[in-house]
Amino acid sequence: MADFQGVDERTVRRAADKGELHHLRLAPRVLRFSRLCLAERLHGRSCADLVYDEEILDAEQAAALLGVGLITLLRAATSGVIPSVHLGGTWRFSRAALLRCLCPEPPITTS
């Protein structure tokens, strides 16, 4: 998410660490953000009412959606960091549930 709307990566990571931006930590150095949530935040609106498509994804599609490698995704799924279902040797993910993990409720603002 580096250089999103002219904001550098360190600034975004600091805001996430302070709880000012929603994020999903998939591994110690792997943070992911919802582009829609960030856009809403930049416009001063709540991201709580974002609506997502209920599509079911396979592991490769979910990894592409989150912008991570397949191994990172499967580790996060196995450890319960992200919602998933393991059926018959394959993993399935809800697109809406993954995006809600990135942006579950309005960010905490520090005044």
Side-chain angles (χ1 to χ4, degrees), residues 7 24-25 44 64 79 88:
V7 179
L24 177 62
R25 186 176 300 276
S79 64

Side-chain angles (χ1 to χ4, degrees), residues 31-107:
L31 293 179
R32 290 296 176 256
F33 301 88
S34 164
R35 187 173 289 277
L36 288 175
C37 174
L38 287 174
E40 290 298 299
R41 181 82 172 128
L42 287 171
H43 294 291
R45 297 188 296 251
S46 170
C47 51
D49 297 323
L50 293 175
V51 177
Y52 301 112
D53 184 23
E54 288 290 339
E55 180 181 5
I56 301 300
L57 307 174
D58 62 24
E60 289 82 12
Q61 292 168 323
L65 175 68
L66 295 175
V68 298
L70 190 57
I71 299 299
T72 300
L73 177 86
L74 295 177
R75 283 183 184 147
T78 302
S79 64
V81 172
I82 56 173
S84 59
V85 176
H86 191 233
L87 297 170
T90 62
W91 288 90
R92 294 293 181 248
F93 303 84
S94 161
R95 182 178 192 278
L98 290 175
L99 293 174
R100 278 192 295 274
C101 283
L102 293 172
C103 184
E105 58 190 40

